[in-house]
């Protein structure tokens, strides 16, 4: 091992010598102090290795013996160093890129905000910047815990604000306070959907419809009174107006219920022959490197299947503690999709159409409504089995309008 290392550091020249006086050539070279390594004699000539500094000493013996010397290979550190020295600008560029990446990895390059609904992201960015959290600053120069506490104090609607650093990216996670909702009883009672009114009970307000009448969605059923009848609806004081968690006073609202019959229907056609696309179970994997917005795939750059479903995941590279390179590993899973031809009998197609139509109808029915009657009608169709489901229910029609 030591001998190989010494040979690499000194450098070796592999040459072949051709001539009629090779023995005399070697003797003359040895007298000059040349040391031969791994000497081989063949019909084509003499093969051997010598040190770099000994190669110049071969000129005299070669001239005396009329021997031709040809270099066939060079080995060792001196040749590697010379080769790289000729590419010093490339080495300089690589070094500059490495230093630049090392410097950038210690800075904050991007800031994102998530979890905020009513709080403006721009306001959070501006507030964070005032307290030192901004892009192109050193990571160690910003106390994220202190900035987090300051942001919570500045935004009363935020219950908690957490700041985490992911390499050169900083994420501000906002959890907003859940404010007490304003009571939903406000204003008139209107029809939630079309139906036939069968029962009316008014507790407060004026009825604008009567039993046996068909109402339309949004039609006012019970009108709210003009004045407040309860003592709880008192005007707010200035101190209450300044309190963010104060629940507004009750506004005049109609009270009562209106019940009636509502009809729903859904129509579905299921063909006897249908082409479906499903996963075949075959999966191919590939990985690559993501630098900025550019992704370079190392293995499996393209899907091996004609139809595929791709699942992409990104993994950061942590070197030490919070030191993360601005480079991510990308892993891709290619799931093959295949076309399946499904053939159904008349009974199977009709059953599938009935199930789909029934599911569609029950999505529209108000939860808790009482189903009075269900009718299944088989309709004519040239494309398959066509089924129509008609459902009659008995439910509450009166709701408060949604404001906003």
């Amino acid at each position: 091992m030591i001998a190989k290392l010494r040979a690499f550091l000194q450098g070796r020249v592999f040459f072949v010598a051709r001539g009629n006086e090779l023995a005399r050539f070697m003797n003359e070279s040895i007298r000059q102090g040349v040391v031969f390594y791994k000497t081989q004699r063949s019909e084509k000539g003499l093969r051997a290795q010598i040190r770099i500094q000994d190669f110049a000493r071969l000129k005299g013996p070669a001239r005396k013996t009329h021997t031709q010397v040809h270099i066939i290979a060079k080995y060792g550190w001196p040749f590697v160093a010379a080769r790289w020295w000729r590419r010093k600008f490339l080495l300089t560029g690589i070094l500059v890129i490495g230093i630049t990446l090392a410097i950038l990895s210690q800075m904050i390059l991007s800031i994102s905000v998530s979890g905020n609904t009513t709080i403006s992201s721009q306001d959070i960015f501006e507030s964070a910047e005032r307290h030192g959290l901004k892009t192109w600053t050193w990571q160690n120069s910003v106390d994220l815990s202190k900035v987090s506490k300051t942001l919570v104090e500045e935004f009363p609607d935020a219950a908690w604000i957490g700041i985490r650093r992911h390499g050169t990216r900083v994420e501000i996670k906002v959890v907003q306070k859940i404010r007490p909702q304003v009571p939903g009883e406000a204003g008139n009672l209107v029809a939630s959907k079309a139906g036939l009114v069968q029962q009316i009970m008014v507790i407060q307000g004026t009825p604008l419809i009567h039993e046996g009448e068909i109402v339309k969605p949004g039609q006012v059923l019970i009108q709210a009174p003009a004045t407040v009848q309860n003592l709880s609806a008192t005007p707010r004081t200035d101190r209450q107006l300044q309190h963010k968690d104060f629940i507004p006073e009750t506004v005049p609202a109609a009270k009562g219920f209106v019940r009636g019959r509502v009809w729903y229907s859904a129509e579905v056609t299921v063909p006897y022959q249908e082409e479906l696309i499903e996963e075949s179970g075959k999966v191919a994997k590939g990985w690559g490197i993501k630098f900025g917005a550019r992704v370079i795939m190392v293995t499996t750059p393209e899907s091996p299947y004609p139809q595929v479903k791709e699942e992409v995941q990104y993994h950061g590279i942590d070197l030490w503690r919070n030191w993360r390179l601005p480079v991510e590993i990308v892993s891709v899973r290619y799931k093959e999709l295949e076309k399946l031809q499904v053939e159904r009998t008349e009974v199977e197609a009709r059953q599938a159409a009935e199930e789909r139509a029934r599911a569609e109808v029950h999505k529209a029915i108000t939860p808790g409504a009482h189903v009075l009657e269900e009718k299944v009608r088989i309709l004519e169709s040239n494309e398959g089995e066509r089924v129509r489901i008609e459902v009659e229910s008995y439910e509450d029609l009166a709701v408060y309008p949604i404001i906003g």
Side-chain angles (χ1 to χ4, degrees):
M1 183 66 184
I2 297 177
K4 290 183 178 179
L5 179 60
R6 186 186 298 112
F8 177 78
L9 294 177
Q10 292 177 349
R12 292 284 189 268
V13 176
F14 297 76
F15 73 93
V16 59
R18 296 184 179 91
N20 297 325
E21 299 181 63
L22 294 179
R24 183 185 170 197
F25 166 75
M26 289 191 65
N27 292 331
E28 290 290 337
S29 300
I30 292 172
R31 290 192 187 97
Q32 295 291 334
V34 178
V35 179
F36 293 89
Y37 301 92
K38 298 182 180 181
T39 305
Q40 296 177 351
R41 182 69 182 271
S42 65
E43 295 179 357
K44 296 182 178 179
L46 174 70
R47 286 174 174 266
Q49 303 178 18
I50 59 174
R51 293 175 297 182
I52 297 176
Q53 57 269 30
D54 292 341
F55 185 76
R57 300 175 184 175
L58 295 179
K59 292 183 180 179
R63 191 180 302 111
K64 289 180 181 180
T65 58
H66 304 285
T67 302
Q68 296 180 352
V69 179
H70 300 282
I71 298 175
I72 57 176
K74 299 175 182 179
Y75 167 79
W77 167 248
F79 299 107
V80 175
R83 188 183 309 116
W84 280 108
W85 179 249
R86 290 194 297 270
R87 302 175 181 176
K88 49 184 176 292
F89 294 108
L90 176 61
L91 282 176
T92 304
I94 294 175
L95 183 61
V96 170
I97 292 174
I99 295 175
T100 303
L101 291 178
I103 294 175
L104 292 178
S105 65
Q106 298 299 313
M107 302 181 71
I108 298 174
L109 301 183
S110 65
I111 303 174
S112 62
V113 178
S114 61
N116 56 316
T117 54
T118 59
I119 303 176
S120 171
S121 297
Q122 186 62 31
D123 293 341
I124 296 177
F125 284 134
E126 292 177 357
S127 178
E129 186 174 350
R130 286 197 302 270
H131 296 92
L133 179 57
K134 54 186 177 180
T135 56
W136 302 104
T137 57
W138 297 106
Q139 298 176 4
N140 295 332
S141 66
V142 183
D143 188 345
L144 299 183
S145 178
K146 184 178 179 180
V147 175
S148 175
K149 293 179 181 178
T150 306
L151 292 179
V152 173
E153 294 175 357
E154 290 191 3
F155 296 96
D157 288 340
W160 175 82
I161 296 179
I163 303 178
R164 294 187 61 186
R165 183 170 58 238
H166 305 278
T168 60
R169 180 173 61 88
V170 172
E171 179 186 9
I172 302 177
K173 180 69 175 180
V174 181
V175 177
Q176 295 196 192
K177 293 180 180 178
I178 301 177
R179 299 293 181 184
Q181 297 295 322
V182 178
E185 297 182 359
N188 304 324
L189 282 171
V190 300
S192 59
K193 55 191 67 178
L196 176 63
V197 178
Q198 289 195 324
Q199 186 180 12
I200 303 174
M201 176 64 70
V202 180
I203 299 175
Q204 180 174 287
T206 305
L208 300 183
I209 45 90
H210 53 80
E211 295 180 359
E213 183 178 345
I214 296 178
V215 295
K216 299 179 180 179
Q219 182 178 343
V220 179
L221 306 180
I222 302 177
Q223 189 177 31
T227 58
V228 180
Q229 301 297 329
N230 59 321
L231 299 178
S232 62
T234 55
R236 288 179 289 177
T237 63
D238 293 339
R239 185 176 181 181
Q240 290 173 333
L241 287 170
Q242 296 175 358
H243 199 281
K244 291 183 176 295
D245 292 331
F246 177 75
I247 301 177
E249 70 275 2
T250 305
V251 297
K255 295 182 180 180
F257 60 84
V258 178
R259 299 190 179 115
R261 293 175 178 249
V262 181
W263 292 269
Y264 302 89
S265 65
E267 202 171 289
V268 175
T269 302
V270 174
Y272 300 122
Q273 294 182 349
E274 189 175 7
E275 186 178 75
L276 302 178
I277 298 179
E278 297 181 354
E279 295 181 7
S280 66
K282 295 182 180 179
V283 179
K285 299 180 181 179
W287 68 275
I289 301 174
K290 181 177 184 292
F291 184 82
R294 185 179 180 185
V295 176
I296 302 175
M297 294 300 297
V298 179
T299 62
T300 320
E302 296 181 357
S303 168
Y305 311 120
Q307 289 186 319
V308 70
K309 176 183 177 183
E310 293 186 8
E311 294 180 356
V312 183
Q313 292 183 341
Y314 297 92
H315 310 278
I317 303 176
D318 295 323
L319 295 181
W320 182 69
R321 293 187 179 178
N322 293 326
W323 192 5
R324 171 175 288 193
L325 290 177
V327 177
E328 293 179 312
I329 300 298
V330 182
S331 60
V332 184
R333 287 168 57 90
Y334 302 98
K335 295 184 177 181
E336 183 186 29
L337 300 178
E338 61 179 359
K339 294 182 179 180
L340 298 178
Q341 292 291 337
V342 178
E343 295 185 1
R344 302 183 180 91
T345 63
E346 183 178 342
V347 176
E348 291 173 343
R350 184 175 301 174
Q351 183 179 1
E354 185 177 336
E355 291 176 356
R356 295 181 188 179
R358 184 175 289 107
E360 187 175 338
V361 166
H362 282 275
K363 283 183 181 179
I365 296 177
T366 304
H370 177 60
V371 177
L372 300 177
E373 185 180 5
E374 179 184 284
K375 295 181 180 179
V376 180
R377 300 182 184 276
I378 309 300
L379 307 178
E380 294 183 0
S381 175
N382 297 327
E383 300 177 355
E385 288 296 320
R386 186 179 176 188
V387 176
R388 178 184 176 87
I389 297 287
E390 297 176 353
V391 175
E392 181 181 355
S393 66
Y394 184 76
E395 56 188 84
D396 291 329
L397 299 176
V399 296
Y400 291 100
I402 299 175
I403 300 176

